[in-house]
Amino acid sequence: MDSQPGLTSAACIRRYPGNPVLSVQDVPYEALLVFNAGVTRYRGQYVMVFRDDYGLEPSSPYPLHTDLGLAFSRDGLAWEVQPGFCFGWHDDEILRAYDPRLTVLDGRCYMAFAADTRHGIRGGIAVTEDFAHFEVLSLSLPDNRNMVLFPERIGGRYARLERPFPVYGRGGVDRFDIWYGESPDLRFWGNQQLVLGVEDVPFANDKLGPGAPPVKTPAGWLTLFHAVDRDPRRGKNGWEDAWQKRYTAGIMLLDLEDPTRVVGMSKLPLLAPEAPYEVDGGFRNNTVFPGGMILEDNGEVKIYYGAADTVECLATADLNDLIALCASPR
Ligand code: BMA
């Protein structure tokens, strides 16, 4: 499949009228692009760890640095950014950490993240209780990223979704799928199994990746993912000379006891780039990248996503509508 037609968001999706919920204007230190945040509720407040790309050389469209910033909120809508980066992880080998996803488990907050290193892209898991000190528990082999940790043990083991990047084995092009892995201690990971192949998602022709950490519902683990379609005819659409990809968000339900089993998946995107802040004026337009999902007591689901790799946004939907969207068996 070379290209995809226009894609639209599901009717049940409501974009927050105050979008974006976070942009560079809200950040009291150097910031050029703030996006792809992890968001959770922890100890009575909403917490957001966001990606901040900053510094630019005049001749290049690419930011020089990436670190992670921290914001708190009482309602998940208005955010107060804390002074300074909370996770600036780099040394001679590790170039940057980015795309955090937050999971509260046994009263502590775990952060899965991607790390660019001199020897490949790796998926990491760290733990914190105060967002000032993080202990890195594991770092995968390259190339792997988009890890999300489930909020409880499954079959007695910690569980995650992940997205390795096989190249030779998948024909030398992007064809990246979502996998499941488990661990006795969050340090050693194994028993990996395929969950969802890119060929099974009608609105993707390039790659997939886990989105927000899954949310437990009576119908299964509600799971967001990003899906990419690439069209070689797309030209300049952001800061780079060409940006051929479109990132949409998909939704599926995984079996509660055996999350390697997809019990239903929407055949259409949940969220597709349509709003001005998703399709225009950003670093990489036509990109929505979900990283946080919160189920409220009244059944509202908050979905946090990076838009155009430039700002952080919020959309909401009712839990029952999201479950209904997944009703079609895969
Ligand atoms: C992916 C990641 C994301 C980013 C997306 C679109 O590979 O780097 O952080 O949002 O590309 O640029």
Side-chain angles (χ1 to χ4, degrees):
M1 198 187 315
D2 279 345
S3 65
Q4 300 271 317
L7 296 172
T8 54
S9 305
C12 65
I13 279 286
R14 296 180 291 270
R15 285 175 175 79
Y16 175 54
N19 271 345
V21 289
L22 198 80
S23 60
V24 291
Q25 287 80 12
D26 304 309
V27 179
Y29 46 82
E30 205 178 345
L32 187 63
L33 308 164
V34 294
F35 62 113
N36 292 4
V39 184
T40 192
R41 264 188 319 226
Y42 185 65
R43 298 188 179 169
Q45 54 187 337
Y46 294 77
V47 185
M48 175 189 287
V49 176
F50 60 90
R51 168 174 175 173
D52 179 349
D53 285 13
Y54 59 101
L56 199 58
E57 275 178 313
S59 55
S60 160
Y62 299 106
L64 288 169
H65 311 290
T66 302
D67 285 304
L68 301 182
L70 175 68
F72 292 117
S73 171
R74 285 178 194 286
D75 57 8
L77 306 174
W79 292 89
E80 193 166 325
V81 177
Q82 304 303 296
F85 296 116
C86 66
F87 196 71
W89 203 50
H90 24 78
D91 58 23
D92 288 348
E93 173 63 17
I94 293 157
L95 306 174
R96 60 190 188 133
Y98 57 101
D99 293 358
R101 278 77 179 262
L102 304 179
T103 299
V104 176
L105 209 163
D106 296 339
R108 303 216 287 167
C109 190
Y110 290 86
M111 181 177 79
F113 58 95
D116 289 354
T117 77
R118 294 199 191 281
H119 295 87
I121 298 170
R122 306 176 68 181
I125 295 178
V127 63
T128 186
E129 291 192 53
D130 58 8
F131 297 93
H133 308 92
F134 287 83
E135 183 190 356
V136 177
L137 301 174
S138 67
L139 209 50
S140 74
L141 280 171
D143 280 336
N144 199 337
R145 69 175 165 203
N146 297 308
M147 281 173 187
V148 297
L149 205 57
F150 285 75
E152 57 184 70
R153 291 173 192 75
I154 300 171
R157 297 217 169 91
Y158 295 99
R160 74 184 183 193
L161 299 175
E162 57 193 301
R163 205 290 304 277
F165 304 26
V167 176
Y168 297 120
R170 296 285 267 143
V173 289
D174 288 10
R175 289 287 180 274
F176 307 152
D177 316 300
I178 296 176
W179 290 70
Y180 179 81
E182 55 184 34
S183 170
D185 57 5
L186 291 157
R187 294 179 189 272
F188 295 90
W189 290 89
N191 289 340
Q192 277 91 351
Q193 291 182 62
L194 180 69
V195 175
L196 185 67
V198 64
E199 66 280 359
D200 293 324
V201 177
F203 47 96
N205 69 5
D206 187 272
K207 59 180 173 175
L208 308 176
V215 164
K216 194 173 196 180
T217 79
W221 291 104
L222 190 67
T223 304
L224 293 171
F225 58 91
H226 66 256
V228 178
D229 70 276
R230 183 195 284 262
D231 184 339
R233 293 168 304 187
R234 292 185 190 133
K236 188 164 175 64
N237 195 12
W239 295 4
E240 297 161 291
D241 289 341
W243 175 238
Q244 297 178 346
K245 296 177 191 170
R246 169 175 44 190
Y247 277 66
T248 57
I251 190 157
M252 62 180 167
L253 281 169
L254 305 179
D255 185 80
L256 286 178
E257 270 110 57
D258 175 12
T260 67
R261 207 166 70 76
V262 179
V263 293
M265 183 193 80
S266 174
K267 300 253 192 313
L268 296 168
L270 173 67
L271 187 63
E274 292 165 301
Y277 44 81
E278 297 161 359
V279 300
D280 199 14
F283 170 55
R284 286 178 167 169
N285 297 319
N286 281 349
T287 303
V288 295
F289 196 89
M293 176 163 59
I294 293 177
L295 173 59
E296 303 289 6
D297 292 343
N298 64 3
E300 180 194 74
V301 178
K302 289 188 168 71
I303 295 168
Y304 293 90
Y305 64 99
D309 281 7
T310 301
V311 291
E312 184 66 21
C313 292
L314 169 66
T316 60
D318 292 331
L319 176 63
N320 290 336
D321 291 340
L322 295 178
I323 291 174
L325 276 182
C326 301
S328 47
R330 177 156 72 86

